[in-house]
Amino acid sequence: MAEITAGMVKELREKTDAPMMECKKALTEAGGDLSKAEEILRVKLGNKASTAAARVTAEGIVGLFISDDGKLASLIEVNCETDFVAKNDDFLALVNGCACLIAEKNPADVDALSQLPLGDGTVESTRAALVGKIGENMTIRRFVRIQAEGKVASYVHGGSKIGVLVDLVGGDEAMAKDLAMHIAASKPKSLDSTGVSADLIEAERRVAIEKAREAGKPDAMIEKIAEGSVQKFLKEVTLLGQVFVKAEDGKQTIEQLLKARSARIASFTLYVVGEGIEKKANDFAAEVAAQAAAAAANR
């Protein structure tokens, strides 16, 4: 049997917010498999065990560019170590310069973007010089470029911590802006169910089956209950299935809204800064002790 270390328990607790003893029990039951242990906690504790996983855990900002006619747009995420640097004028200039280059030059990936000319050198040399000047690392994480079928609307929230682009065919500017704000608030994983990974759907199904069994439901009903849970999950995580945040009746879905306005969404992109990145936790007391010891050793 795999050894359950304190580090494993800590990692599971940070991902789930579950009590430490529950994390240890789940890891023991899962034989040390972190993903399986997370599923076990979700069965026992419900959706509370997945709320912490979506926390933003790294600093930086999103930058964007949209052409005047709304036909061309780009969105980029650039990370840094502290929020202080995320507000630095030179850092902001780097991000905005990259967003414009992406729209203009259409680089294939981050490496290709890094070699494009910017300022007195390239994107990479500008980034490296800024790291040297500020003394803090910064990385270009991801970007997207949209050549619109309709027109692109954008929304940036929380000091440029959340960025959205949505390509709306039909409708109007106000509707497109509302949809972008909805995406920022509701954070859909995809446009419809075809964009949700099979692994994620299967995980939801397993959790639903175990919950039904623990509740003592008859075996003949378990599959039907699980399928109902999966369909509910898909409505919650797909843009078309979500209830529009500004729906007057509290029931109209995005799909129904689009149909009523003879419009459709060709694509959308949502970036949440630091999503999925584990932020290094600094032990301030340990840092002070280490500095004091180093100073004493140099006397």
Side-chain angles (χ1 to χ4, degrees), residues 98 100 102 112 129 165 169 177 219 239 247-248 262 264 266 289 291 295:
C98 286
C100 292
I102 291 162
L165 294 179
V169 181
K177 179 64 73 173
D219 288 345
L239 179 55
E248 294 182 0
S262 298
R264 67 180 176 88
Q291 289 174 9

Side-chain angles (χ1 to χ4, degrees), residues 117-184:
L118 182 66
D120 295 328
T122 64
V123 169
E124 175 55 26
S125 67
T126 302
R127 183 201 68 83
L130 195 53
V131 169
K133 176 182 177 181
I134 296 177
E136 181 171 312
N137 193 27
M138 53 196 71
T139 58
I140 299 171
R141 184 185 184 195
R142 53 183 174 172
F143 66 80
V144 67
R145 179 181 186 271
I146 296 177
Q147 190 76 53
E149 289 186 42
K151 284 191 175 182
V152 177
S154 66
Y155 180 65
V156 175
H157 182 73
S160 296
K161 299 299 184 184
I162 299 174
V164 176
L165 294 179
V166 57
D167 180 3
L168 181 66
V169 181
D172 56 30
E173 187 175 336
M175 180 185 183
K177 179 64 73 173
D178 282 345
L179 288 169
M181 293 177 69
H182 170 98
I183 292 165

